[in-house]
Structures are given as structure tokens and as C-alpha cells.
Amino acid sequence: MNQLRKFLPLLPATIFIFMGIRWVANPEAAAQAQLMPLLEGMALSSQIADIGALFFCMGGMILLGLITQNKTWFQATVFMLLTIAFMRITAWLFHDAALAIPMIVVELVMSSVLFFGAKRMSKNLSQKES
């Protein structure tokens, strides 16, 4: 069970890195997976770069957290995921966007996994120092 909790953050890391790479390799499929149209021109450039980088960097930060055992990397990713969920709710409240409950749930679940992973990481470090 401890091994499972130790490597559980590897799941979101893998998913995020795959999604980031997918934005470069197959943007049309990546956009479909995010329930959005593939844009054109400069908007397409921004869509691929911004969304691809977001996913790729979140996955990379989780991997850095696992490798270095530095919980700050997990906390940064949690902050990003919670901000994304907040922005989705804001878009719904103020800009007539659809309320993306399935996406918000995924963001909250992944945030929880990483939050508890960071908490466990700090407990492990304090036990090792004793």
C-alpha cells in the first residue's frame, strides 16, 4: 500500500506529459480530447503552445517532485490545477461558458492526489531525518 501511495503521483505525471506531447504531435486529437475546436492561424499557435506547455510542464514538475523528493513541485502543480478549476467556474459564472463539471472533477481529484503525495513526502523526510 505504501508503494502505491508513493507512485500514485506518477499517474497524473504520465497523463499530463502524454497530453503535452499530443498537442505537438496531433493537435486535432488533443483538442477533441479537451472538447474544444482546433483554432486557426495565430490562435492555433497559441492553443498548441499554451495548452501543450501547461500539460507538459505540470507533468514535468510532478516528475521533478518524485525525483528530488521536494514537495514544492507537487504544490506548484496543485496550485495550477486549482487555478484552472477556478477559472472554469469563473468562465461559467461571468462569461456564459458551459460548466465543465467532468473536467473540474478531474482537476480536483488530481490536485488531491498530489496534495496528499506532498504531505506524505514531507512526513517521510522528517522520519528520515530523525
Side-chain angles (χ1 to χ4, degrees), residues 49-96:
D50 296 349
I51 298 172
L54 174 73
F55 283 120
F56 190 78
C57 289
M58 285 193 303
M61 288 190 294
I62 297 168
L63 289 180
L64 283 170
L66 287 168
I67 291 165
T68 64
Q69 290 295 293
N70 183 340
K71 69 180 181 178
T72 304
W73 292 107
F74 283 13
Q75 292 167 332
T77 308
V78 169
F79 183 55
M80 292 175 75
L81 286 166
L82 293 177
T83 302
I84 292 167
F86 172 78
M87 296 295 245
R88 288 187 194 283
I89 294 167
T90 302
W92 171 69
L93 285 172
F94 301 109
H95 302 291
D96 201 32

Side-chain angles (χ1 to χ4, degrees), residues 24-53:
V24 173
N26 189 351
E28 190 170 343
Q32 275 184 332
Q34 295 294 304
L35 305 175
M36 65 175 67
L38 193 61
L39 303 175
E40 296 178 359
M42 293 291 274
L44 176 59
S45 176
S46 292
Q47 186 180 31
I48 292 170
D50 296 349
I51 298 172

